[in-house]
Amino acid sequence: MKKFFIAIVVLMSFGVADICAQDRKFSPEKFDAALEKYIVEEANLSQQEASKILPLLKEMHDRQRVVYSKMRKLNKEKPATEKECEDAIKQYDKMNIELKHIEHGYHKKMMLEVSAIKVYDVIKAENRFHRRMFKGWQRGKRR
Protein backbone atom coordinates (compact mmCIF):
# COMPACT_ATOMS: atom_id res chain seq x y z
CA MET A 1 0.00 0.00 0.00
CA LYS A 2 2.82 2.38 0.86
CA LYS A 3 4.53 1.71 -2.50
CA PHE A 4 1.25 2.33 -4.30
CA PHE A 5 0.83 5.69 -2.55
CA ILE A 6 4.42 6.73 -3.41
CA ALA A 7 3.91 5.70 -7.04
CA ILE A 8 0.76 7.87 -7.27
CA VAL A 9 2.54 10.85 -5.72
CA VAL A 10 5.44 10.47 -8.15
CA LEU A 11 3.11 10.19 -11.17
CA MET A 12 1.13 13.21 -10.04
CA SER A 13 4.29 15.28 -9.63
CA PHE A 14 5.35 14.42 -13.19
CA GLY A 15 1.90 15.47 -14.40
CA VAL A 16 2.15 18.79 -12.59
CA ALA A 17 5.66 19.33 -13.99
CA ASP A 18 4.37 18.70 -17.52
CA ILE A 19 1.51 21.16 -17.06
CA CYS A 20 3.91 23.80 -15.69
CA ALA A 21 6.30 23.22 -18.55
CA GLN A 22 3.47 23.68 -21.06
CA ASP A 23 2.48 26.96 -19.43
CA ARG A 24 6.03 28.24 -19.72
CA LYS A 25 6.38 27.52 -23.44
CA PHE A 26 6.28 30.65 -25.56
CA SER A 27 3.30 30.98 -27.87
CA PRO A 28 3.56 33.80 -30.45
CA GLU A 29 -0.21 33.74 -30.94
CA LYS A 30 -0.91 34.17 -27.22
CA PHE A 31 1.77 36.85 -26.99
CA ASP A 32 0.30 38.82 -29.90
CA ALA A 33 -3.24 38.49 -28.53
CA ALA A 34 -2.12 39.69 -25.09
CA LEU A 35 -0.19 42.57 -26.67
CA GLU A 36 -3.20 43.70 -28.71
CA LYS A 37 -5.53 43.46 -25.71
CA TYR A 38 -3.09 45.42 -23.54
CA ILE A 39 -2.63 48.14 -26.19
CA VAL A 40 -6.38 48.55 -26.76
CA GLU A 41 -6.97 48.91 -23.02
CA GLU A 42 -3.95 51.07 -22.16
CA ALA A 43 -4.21 53.38 -25.17
CA ASN A 44 -7.98 53.55 -24.67
CA LEU A 45 -8.68 52.71 -28.31
CA SER A 46 -12.22 52.56 -29.62
CA GLN A 47 -13.23 49.56 -31.73
CA GLN A 48 -12.88 51.70 -34.87
CA GLU A 49 -9.42 52.96 -33.89
CA ALA A 50 -8.28 49.44 -32.99
CA SER A 51 -9.48 48.13 -36.36
CA LYS A 52 -7.29 50.72 -38.09
CA ILE A 53 -4.19 50.53 -35.89
CA LEU A 54 -3.83 46.83 -35.00
CA PRO A 55 -3.46 45.52 -38.58
CA LEU A 56 -0.74 48.11 -39.21
CA LEU A 57 0.96 47.20 -35.96
CA LYS A 58 0.88 43.50 -36.86
CA GLU A 59 2.24 44.22 -40.33
CA MET A 60 5.05 46.29 -38.79
CA HIS A 61 5.93 43.49 -36.37
CA ASP A 62 5.96 40.93 -39.18
CA ARG A 63 8.42 43.05 -41.18
CA GLN A 64 10.55 43.62 -38.09
CA ARG A 65 10.63 39.88 -37.31
CA VAL A 66 12.30 39.27 -40.67
CA VAL A 67 15.08 41.68 -39.71
CA TYR A 68 15.37 40.22 -36.20
CA SER A 69 15.73 36.78 -37.77
CA LYS A 70 18.65 38.03 -39.87
CA MET A 71 20.21 39.55 -36.75
CA ARG A 72 19.94 36.24 -34.88
CA LYS A 73 21.67 34.45 -37.75
CA LEU A 74 24.43 37.06 -37.72
CA ASN A 75 24.92 36.64 -33.97
CA LYS A 76 25.14 32.84 -33.97
CA GLU A 77 28.88 32.69 -34.61
CA LYS A 78 31.67 35.10 -33.83
CA PRO A 79 33.61 36.05 -36.96
CA ALA A 80 37.20 34.82 -37.00
CA THR A 81 39.05 37.80 -38.43
CA GLU A 82 39.19 41.52 -37.84
CA LYS A 83 37.69 42.18 -41.27
CA GLU A 84 34.83 39.73 -40.70
CA CYS A 85 34.08 41.36 -37.33
CA GLU A 86 34.06 44.79 -38.96
CA ASP A 87 31.67 43.56 -41.67
CA ALA A 88 29.42 41.94 -39.06
CA ILE A 89 29.25 45.20 -37.08
CA LYS A 90 28.35 47.13 -40.22
CA GLN A 91 25.61 44.62 -41.08
CA TYR A 92 24.27 44.77 -37.53
CA ASP A 93 24.19 48.58 -37.65
CA LYS A 94 22.39 48.52 -41.02
CA MET A 95 19.78 46.14 -39.64
CA ASN A 96 19.18 48.36 -36.60
CA ILE A 97 18.70 51.34 -38.92
CA GLU A 98 16.35 49.24 -41.08
CA LEU A 99 14.29 48.42 -37.97
CA LYS A 100 13.94 52.12 -37.18
CA HIS A 101 12.99 52.92 -40.80
CA ILE A 102 10.27 50.27 -40.67
CA GLU A 103 8.99 51.65 -37.37
CA HIS A 104 9.10 55.24 -38.64
CA GLY A 105 7.18 54.36 -41.80
CA TYR A 106 4.45 52.56 -39.91
CA HIS A 107 4.13 55.32 -37.35
CA LYS A 108 3.47 57.70 -40.25
CA LYS A 109 0.83 55.33 -41.64
CA MET A 110 -0.82 55.04 -38.24
CA MET A 111 -0.98 58.84 -37.89
CA LEU A 112 -2.88 58.96 -41.18
CA GLU A 113 -5.51 56.65 -39.65
CA VAL A 114 -5.83 58.03 -36.10
CA SER A 115 -4.57 61.02 -34.14
CA ALA A 116 -0.93 61.39 -33.17
CA ILE A 117 -2.03 61.31 -29.53
CA LYS A 118 -3.46 57.80 -30.01
CA VAL A 119 -0.36 56.63 -31.88
CA TYR A 120 1.81 57.99 -29.06
CA ASP A 121 -0.37 56.13 -26.52
CA VAL A 122 -0.04 52.91 -28.57
CA ILE A 123 3.77 53.24 -28.68
CA LYS A 124 3.95 53.83 -24.93
CA ALA A 125 1.56 50.95 -24.20
CA GLU A 126 3.59 48.58 -26.37
CA ASN A 127 6.80 49.57 -24.59
CA ARG A 128 5.20 49.04 -21.16
CA PHE A 129 3.86 45.65 -22.26
CA HIS A 130 7.31 44.48 -23.39
CA ARG A 131 8.94 45.68 -20.17
CA ARG A 132 6.34 43.88 -18.06
CA MET A 133 6.66 40.67 -20.05
CA PHE A 134 10.44 40.78 -19.81
CA LYS A 135 10.27 41.29 -16.04
CA GLY A 136 7.91 38.33 -15.79
CA TRP A 137 10.28 36.12 -17.78
CA GLN A 138 13.16 37.18 -15.54
CA ARG A 139 11.19 36.21 -12.43
CA GLY A 140 10.31 32.87 -14.02
CA LYS A 141 13.96 32.09 -14.75
CA ARG A 142 14.96 32.69 -11.13
CA ARG A 143 12.68 29.91 -9.87
Side-chain angles (χ1 to χ4, degrees), residues 52-61 106 109-110 113:
K52 292 177 181 179
I53 288 282
L54 294 179
L56 289 172
L57 197 61
K58 182 173 176 13
E59 192 177 313
M60 178 181 78
H61 291 156
Y106 277 93
K109 288 180 183 180
M110 288 177 201
E113 298 294 329

Side-chain angles (χ1 to χ4, degrees), residues 74 77-93:
L74 182 65
E77 291 183 27
K78 182 178 178 180
T81 66
E82 182 76 18
K83 176 69 174 138
E84 288 173 345
C85 284
E86 185 178 324
D87 291 343
I89 292 168
K90 287 178 182 178
Q91 284 180 323
Y92 190 79
D93 289 345

Side-chain angles (χ1 to χ4, degrees), residues 40-54:
V40 168
E41 290 172 2
E42 289 293 309
N44 199 25
L45 297 177
S46 69
Q47 186 65 30
Q48 184 180 10
E49 291 167 332
S51 69
K52 292 177 181 179
I53 288 282
L54 294 179

Side-chain angles (χ1 to χ4, degrees), residues 1-16:
M1 185 70 169
K2 189 175 182 180
K3 288 180 184 178
F4 178 72
F5 180 70
I6 292 172
I8 288 181
V9 170
V10 169
L11 287 173
M12 286 176 60
S13 66
F14 282 123
V16 170

